[in-house]
Structures are given as structure tokens and as C-alpha cells.
Amino acid sequence: MGSLQNAPAIHRTLFHNSFPQKSGHIRSCRRESISFIVKASHSSPPASPTEIPGRRQMIAIGATAPLVFLFNQHSYSFAAESKKGFLPVLDKKDGYSFIYPFGWQEVVIEGQDKVFKDVIEPLENVSVNMIPTGKQDIREFGPPEQVAETLIKKVLAPPTQKTKLIQAKEQDVEGKAYYQFEFVAQAPNYTRHSLSTVSVGNGRFYTLTTGANERRWDKMKDRLQTVVESFKIFNV
């Protein structure tokens, strides 16, 4: 586990997963010194638009949604294709896939491989990060609670925030071990409730983190859990 605690690359590249913000506007990110660019292209809404909250319907009508799904020509199964209210991401170059709620937009943040966020509720986002590792399995870093505590305190939340690990567990998906954990990070003016999943493959340590403002957790938790459970790594 010492190699995880002392890896400066993890600290540099994963630190902004919590995306602390003081306002619900995109430009607030500039005040936090996080530079990003909104990337959008035309996308069609899901078959059942009534499932999307009204204000997000208005965003979807007046703005465009990112289209990042690339069809895999092989037999790799991708459950995101038929999930209503979500859009799929399949990164064949880096070897991972997941889904995110319809209406979120892709942004570019330094040190992150993929980031999608709600432009109205900026604390509602999902990010994926990868760093090189010589290990073959996430269990080589230690048990779920130990890995989760280290990532939360050293990487996933700013050091000024008070954090609490709620739960951590191991899951086996198609023969690959994943650690999933839930935590909260308290800032002076908000509390973010987050879910993360980590795994190892292709010589990389993968981290997906999603979350929401604590005041919206009850409304968002099922969707965020769907995002976390959709994350899969495949060989490239």
C-alpha cells in the first residue's frame, strides 16, 4: 500500500476529482483555477424524455449533448446501449466503458481522461483517471477500506476538507476485481457525497468517481450508483 500513498503522480492527476465549486455556474471553475473546455456535438434525447427532470429537458433542447460512443466491432458486450436516461462512453484506446446521465456535458480538465458534468449542478459529475502501475490486481494495493481511505485523504478530496468513508467493498465482475466505496467530503459551504470504483488492468490503475451535493443525494444516488456499476475495464 505504501506505493499508493507515496505516488506523487496519483496526487497530481486525481486531486481534482471532487471539483470543489462555489457557484452553480461554469465560470466559477475559473475562480478555482480549474481550466476546462466544454465539448459538445449533436445527440438525440432518450426514447422517454419524461424520465428527465424538466430543467434538463430545456437544456437538452437548447444545447447539444456530447456524442462519445464508438461502436465496437467485436463481441464485447456493452450494457449501456439500452439503458434509458443515460449515454454511453466506450474508450477502445484506453480500455474502459461506462455510462453517464443524459444532459451532462463533457468538459476537459487537466489530469483527467474523461469528465462529464451537469452544467446547473456542477458538483454532479463523473470523472475517469488512469495512472501507470506495475501491479496486476487492485488487491495488491491492500483491502478495500485501506485503499479507499488512502485515495480519499490523499487524492480524491482537497486536504482542507473533512472526509468520511461510509463503506467500501470488493466486487468481482467477469473475473476482474473492483473496489467500490462511498464517502463524503465537507467544504465550508457545501458537502459532496461521492461514489468511486477502482481497478487495475492494461498496466494502469483506473479510478472512476461520481457524486453530487449532499442536499441532492437522495434524488441522485440511484443514478450515480448506476454510473459506478457500469464502469468496466477490458483488455487493449
Side-chain angles (χ1 to χ4, degrees):
M1 192 61 198
S3 61
L4 180 59
Q5 291 175 317
N6 297 324
I10 298 180
H11 295 201
R12 289 195 303 269
T13 57
L14 297 185
F15 178 77
H16 290 303
N17 272 4
S18 57
F19 305 129
Q21 308 219 7
K22 297 180 180 179
S23 168
H25 299 288
I26 291 178
R27 60 173 174 262
S28 67
C29 288
R30 297 196 187 99
R31 293 198 296 271
E32 297 294 334
S33 298
I34 301 175
S35 173
F36 66 82
I37 305 168
V38 175
K39 298 197 300 187
S41 60
H42 292 287
S43 176
S44 299
S48 302
T50 56
E51 297 181 4
I52 310 300
R55 61 179 179 173
R56 287 169 176 75
Q57 285 183 340
M58 297 306 294
I59 292 175
I61 293 171
T64 55
L67 181 61
V68 295
F69 177 61
L70 299 175
F71 287 97
N72 194 336
Q73 300 300 319
H74 303 289
S75 60
Y76 178 70
S77 61
F78 193 36
E81 294 180 42
S82 60
K83 190 73 175 178
K84 292 183 179 179
F86 293 83
L87 293 175
V89 175
L90 176 59
D91 191 324
K92 293 193 289 185
K93 177 176 178 283
D94 293 316
Y96 66 85
S97 66
F98 66 96
I99 61 177
Y100 65 95
F102 177 79
W104 289 12
Q105 292 200 353
E106 184 175 12
V107 299
V108 174
I109 294 183
E110 184 180 359
Q112 303 294 320
D113 195 62
K114 286 280 193 302
V115 180
F116 295 89
K117 69 188 301 181
D118 187 312
V119 296
I120 293 178
E121 297 285 347
L123 289 180
E124 293 174 14
N125 57 61
V126 59
S127 63
V128 176
N129 184 274
M130 305 167 299
I131 61 168
T133 180
K135 299 186 183 299
Q136 303 299 313
D137 192 290
I138 188 65
R139 290 168 289 199
E140 296 180 51
F141 287 97
E145 293 81 5
Q146 184 180 354
V147 172
E149 287 281 11
T150 300
L151 287 172
I152 292 167
K153 293 183 181 300
K154 302 289 187 180
V155 177
L156 297 177
T160 56
Q161 294 186 3
K162 182 179 179 180
T163 61
K164 178 183 178 182
L165 174 64
I166 297 174
Q167 63 174 339
K169 62 182 179 180
E170 178 183 335
Q171 285 191 322
D172 184 279
V173 180
E174 299 177 355
K176 180 174 288 293
Y178 294 77
Y179 286 173
Q180 285 189 16
F181 52 95
E182 177 181 354
F183 66 99
V184 293
Q186 185 175 358
N189 56 340
Y190 66 86
T191 298
R192 188 173 193 250
H193 201 137
S194 301
L195 298 172
S196 289
T197 183
V198 295
S199 190
V200 170
N202 301 311
R204 298 163 181 167
F205 185 106
Y206 293 81
T207 303
L208 178 143
T209 298
T210 187
N213 194 307
E214 183 66 63
R215 64 179 171 79
R216 284 175 53 82
W217 176 250
D218 287 341
K219 181 176 182 178
M220 292 297 299
K221 62 182 179 181
D222 289 342
R223 274 183 278 181
L224 299 182
Q225 186 66 45
T226 297
V227 173
V228 165
E229 292 184 353
S230 75
F231 185 67
K232 300 293 184 297
I233 297 170
F234 53 89
N235 294 331
V236 293

